[in-house]
Structures are given as C-alpha cells and as structure tokens.
Amino acid sequence: MRTGSINGLRRIALAAGLMLLALAALAPGQVRAEASQAARPLSVVVTTGMIADAARRIGGDHVEVRALMGAGVDPHAYRQTRSDIAAMARADLVLWHGLYLEAQMEGFLKELGARKPVVAVAESLPRELLISHFDYADKVDPHVWMDPRLWSRVVEAVREALVAARPEAEKAFSVNAEAYLDELEQVAAYSDTVFASVPETARVLVTAHDAFSYFGRAQGFEVLGIQGISTQSEAGLQRVAELVDILVDRRIRAVFVESSVSDRSIRALIEGAAAKGHTVAIGGELFSDAMGPEGAYEGTYPGMIDHNATVISRALGGDAPERGMAGRLAAGS
C-alpha cells in the first residue's frame, strides 16, 4: 500500500477516535441536563383554589403550583391579567375547571390548549352526574366541588393530568392522591353525620347565588339562591320578594352570606322578612366559589367543606362541634 493511502487511513482513524472522545465527554453533560430537567418541579398554573389544593397535595415536591384566583375571588367574573397570561405561557401544565365556570377566560384557555397541555378537569365528569343549568339549556351547573364525593372524581382527573405531564413521578402521584382521597371521604362522612342531625323541616339553605345544588342533592336539602348559578345573573326585586315570602311562610330562621359574593341581597331578604314580622339571622359565611385564606385550614378544600358543613348544620338546628370535624376550624367559624 502506498504511504499516502496509509497516512489517509490514519487521519480517518484519528478523526473517528477524536469524535468518539468528544461524544463520550458530552454524554455525561447531556445526562446531567436531562436529570436536571426531570428533577425540576413541574410548573403548574391553575385557575381556582380547589384545583390548586388537589394539585399541591397530589404533586408534592414534584410540582410548583400557582393559583390565579385566591380567597374571596369570584371565578364567574374573573378575567386573566397580563401576569396570568405570562404565567400560563411559561407553565408546563395549565389546569382549569371548565363547565363554563371561568366564563370570561374560556376563549383564552381553549386557544392556549392548542399550544400546550391545558386540561379542564371537571369536564372529565360523566354528563349524567351533572345538574342542568337553569339559565342556559346547553350548559350545566359547574359547582361540583360542593359534593366531596363527586369532587373526588375531579381529583382523579388532576392526578391523570399530572401523570401525563410527568410520567416518571406516577407512583408518587398515585400514593399522594390516595391519601388525599381518603381525607375527602372522611370530610364527606363527617358532613353526612352532621347534616343528618338537622331537622327535616329546617333543611332549607338560602344563599346569595345558586352554588349549592350539588350539596343539596347529596344531603337532601332544598337550596334557594337569590341570583342564579352565575353571579353575573341579576337578582331581581321579584325574586327577592318571592324568597321573603318563603322565609316568612316557612319560618326559616337563618340565611347565609358567601365569602366571594356581596351580602347586599341577603340583607335585603332579612329586612324584607323583618318588615313582615319574621326575624331571620345570618347563619354564617360560607365558602362557595372560593376557599378560605391561604395558609389557614379553611384555605384547603377539606377545610372549606368542614367549615361549610359545620356552619350550616349548627345554624339550622343540627348538632356539630363548634371547631369542626377535627377541631381545626378557626374559633367563631
């Protein structure tokens, strides 16, 4: 073989060897980058506090959750801000309720879903389990979290969305979800017990807007709201007059305000009943479309349901401990 050919082969071999060495040197860096990406918490942006509580409890250390709507925020009227849009654009996963709850955001969320994982978790529920919307023939009542056993199905949808976004953490998500679902069953059982103690004739819940139909169905209560399912519907004088007559005729002794809705209409009911010689008290403040303050027990979904069950049952003549299921409610709840 000629010397030139030998030298050519040597150059090729040398180049191939150098390439292999370079790849070998790069591989650990690539592995580290992939490991770093896997170790980084999943960035999850959610709309409501109820979904945030589920995502945090299920995700644990594997997620960082930002909720757009905090305590006292009405999701029916909420519009995304510039910072919300930026957060959702950067997120690995966006979870929203659906069922027309976030009515002002729905168009944006659906558009965003064409570009990244965006999941309407409550829309996983079978249609036959949903209550029809009185104001819109093609819509349903979105307040499914008012029944903890129904909400448990939505929690499972949250788990599935997290697994799809971070499959390597599936085992952790499943273990955390089971523990959370057990807690929801405990608060559901507590609700069953305290509501069973309310006299049959007193099982009427009067609130600012019709957010408690799933609660009423689960616990055998009649639910009367001044406004419709959405807080965007108007509370007419005729509706207030009708409810005043019901309060007086049926001797209903308590009505309830909501943390995310003005109490103006409820106070109009009380004044109307008083004008007819019947005294009605405010039975307490309920969490309807939003949970309690962040960091408080009432700022968790189990705490929200514990609070509502305790306040309603005590105000309507039932037997419930003042501090709730496990003595964790704030004094005076």
Side-chain angles (χ1 to χ4, degrees):
M1 183 178 290
R2 295 190 321 190
T3 302
S5 299
I6 292 172
N7 289 337
L9 289 173
R10 285 175 177 168
R11 284 196 296 271
I12 293 170
L14 179 61
L18 290 172
M19 184 176 291
L20 288 171
L21 287 172
L23 289 172
L26 285 172
Q30 291 172 335
V31 169
R32 284 194 297 271
E34 290 172 3
S36 175
Q37 182 76 4
R40 178 181 63 82
L42 192 71
S43 173
V44 184
V45 173
V46 308
T47 53
T48 70
M50 292 75 78
I51 299 172
D53 194 55
R56 289 185 180 118
R57 290 290 301 276
I58 296 169
D61 294 338
H62 294 278
V63 302
E64 286 182 351
V65 178
R66 170 176 171 173
L68 301 183
M69 305 176 197
V73 174
D74 177 2
H76 300 282
Y78 190 87
R79 293 180 183 275
Q80 67 272 14
T81 65
R82 287 185 179 181
S83 63
D84 293 342
I85 292 170
M88 287 186 278
R90 291 192 300 266
D92 300 312
L93 174 66
V94 176
L95 302 177
W96 59 299
H97 184 85
L99 303 180
Y100 208 55
L101 177 71
E102 305 97 333
Q104 312 304 319
M105 297 178 64
E106 188 163 294
F108 170 78
L109 287 162
K110 287 184 175 179
E111 287 181 11
L112 186 65
R115 300 193 293 275
K116 63 166 43 206
V118 177
V119 182
V121 290
E123 293 186 1
S124 63
L125 292 169
R127 180 63 179 81
E128 62 268 19
L129 297 180
L130 302 175
I131 296 173
S132 296
H133 198 305
F134 296 113
D135 299 326
Y136 302 97
D138 60 337
K139 299 282 192 301
V140 297
D141 184 340
H143 302 91
V144 295
W145 59 87
M146 288 304 179
D147 177 353
R149 292 189 176 97
L150 187 60
W151 184 246
S152 292
R153 292 174 174 247
V154 179
V155 168
E156 291 172 354
V158 172
R159 178 193 61 202
E160 293 306 310
L162 292 175
V163 169
R166 182 62 61 84
E168 60 271 24
E170 179 176 5
K171 183 176 180 180
F173 294 156
S174 296
V175 169
N176 292 344
E178 283 305 310
Y180 189 56
L181 289 168
D182 285 346
E183 191 172 335
L184 300 197
E185 179 53 36
Q186 290 173 26
V187 78
Y190 169 76
S191 299
D192 293 344
T193 299
V194 297
F195 288 132
S197 70
V198 176
E200 289 285 345
T201 55
R203 294 185 183 186
V204 182
L205 183 71
V206 181
T207 59
H209 87 296
D210 197 4
F212 291 83
S213 291
Y214 291 99
F215 152 78
R217 183 178 71 181
Q219 297 297 341
F221 273 63
E222 182 179 359
V223 175
L224 301 171
I226 302 174
Q227 292 171 271
I229 288 172
S230 170
T231 56
Q232 299 299 286
S233 60
E234 292 295 327
L237 293 176
Q238 182 178 349
R239 178 58 174 167
V240 172
E242 288 172 354
L243 287 176
V244 166
D245 288 341
I246 291 172
L247 293 175
V248 173
D249 293 344
R250 298 171 62 175
R251 313 307 293 175
I252 296 171
R253 70 186 200 178
V255 294
F256 298 86
V257 296
E258 301 172 38
S259 65
S260 55
V261 182
S262 169
D263 66 356
R264 182 176 55 189
S265 296
I266 285 292
R267 296 195 179 279
L269 283 186
I270 294 172
E271 292 168 5
K276 294 190 173 188
H278 176 55
T279 300
V280 178
I282 291 181
E285 182 182 68
L286 305 180
F287 299 118
S288 55
D289 288 344
M291 303 189 306
E294 185 175 353
Y297 172 56
E298 292 85 348
T300 68
Y301 175 74
M304 170 192 192
I305 298 300
D306 187 357
H307 168 92
N308 285 354
T310 301
V311 168
I312 292 169
S313 59
R314 287 175 62 85
L316 297 181
D319 182 19
E322 183 179 1
R323 301 292 291 273
M325 177 176 67
R328 296 181 62 189
L329 293 179
S333 288

